[in-house]
Amino acid sequence: MYKHLLIAVDGSLLSESAFKRALVFAKEMGATVTLLRAIPEDHLLIYQAEMLGTTQTQHTDQARKNAQSYLDGLETEARHALVPCNAIITVNDHPHEAIVETAQSQGCDLIIMGSHGRHGMTGFLLGSETQRVLAHTRLPVLVFR
């Protein structure tokens, strides 16, 4: 049914739980998995503007290294589960855009992600990346809570 799954991960326990459940699903389907970790651009406000370029680059580089280390661990888990897997890191302040764009560019036929389940005023103010993905893609989205 589904042959190429995009699994969006953000390092949270909920995201990792969704990843583990998605691996089982992928194995049952005989699907390939693409992992996506979207990291935000670093918008540091620094008193001395000349420091901004170097500091921003250093923070972005460190965020990429951390994301790569995290994804390496998930790729190892996928390999142990005998699920073909590749990982992508993207820098984007709007994770939902990165998720939708990557799913399209990689030819994925299903997006899998966790839902943080924000309710009330927090949900209203912060919104949900999951809701944004649902609103901006035509692909099916499987949401784990």
Side-chain angles (χ1 to χ4, degrees):
M1 183 172 198
Y2 297 108
K3 295 297 176 199
H4 192 173
L5 315 178
L6 177 85
I7 305 174
V9 292
D10 64 7
S12 67
L13 291 175
L14 181 66
S15 163
E16 288 186 26
S17 175
F19 165 76
K20 290 176 190 307
R21 294 167 71 186
L23 270 187
V24 172
F25 183 74
K27 186 168 178 121
E28 289 174 359
M29 292 282 159
T32 298
V33 167
T34 294
L35 299 172
L36 175 66
R37 176 73 168 100
I39 55 176
E41 290 201 39
D42 195 3
H43 297 286
L44 294 175
L45 296 176
I46 297 178
Y47 183 72
Q48 294 177 331
E50 66 273 3
M51 292 174 56
L52 182 60
T54 304
T55 304
Q56 186 171 10
T57 302
Q58 289 171 344
H59 282 275
T60 301
D61 288 346
Q62 187 59 49
R64 279 187 186 278
K65 287 177 188 173
N66 293 343
Q68 188 61 57
S69 175
Y70 174 68
L71 290 175
D72 287 347
L74 296 182
E75 280 184 293
T76 299
E77 260 186 81
R79 243 189 332 274
H80 286 228
L82 303 176
V83 175
C85 178
N86 68 308
I88 296 173
I89 299 168
T90 186
V91 178
N92 192 320
D93 282 336
H94 305 285
H96 70 279
E97 289 176 359
I99 292 166
V100 171
E101 288 169 8
T102 302
Q104 290 171 345
S105 70
Q106 296 296 309
C108 298
D109 51 9
L110 178 67
I111 297 171
I112 299 178
M113 57 193 307
S115 170
H116 287 284
R118 292 188 180 109
H119 299 291
M121 191 54 89
T122 303
F124 176 73
L125 292 175
L126 297 178
S128 162
E129 289 305 319
T130 305
Q131 289 173 327
R132 290 182 183 107
V133 168
L134 288 166
H136 290 93
T137 188
R138 293 179 187 255
L139 291 173
V141 180
L142 177 59
V143 180
F144 288 112
R145 289 193 131 188

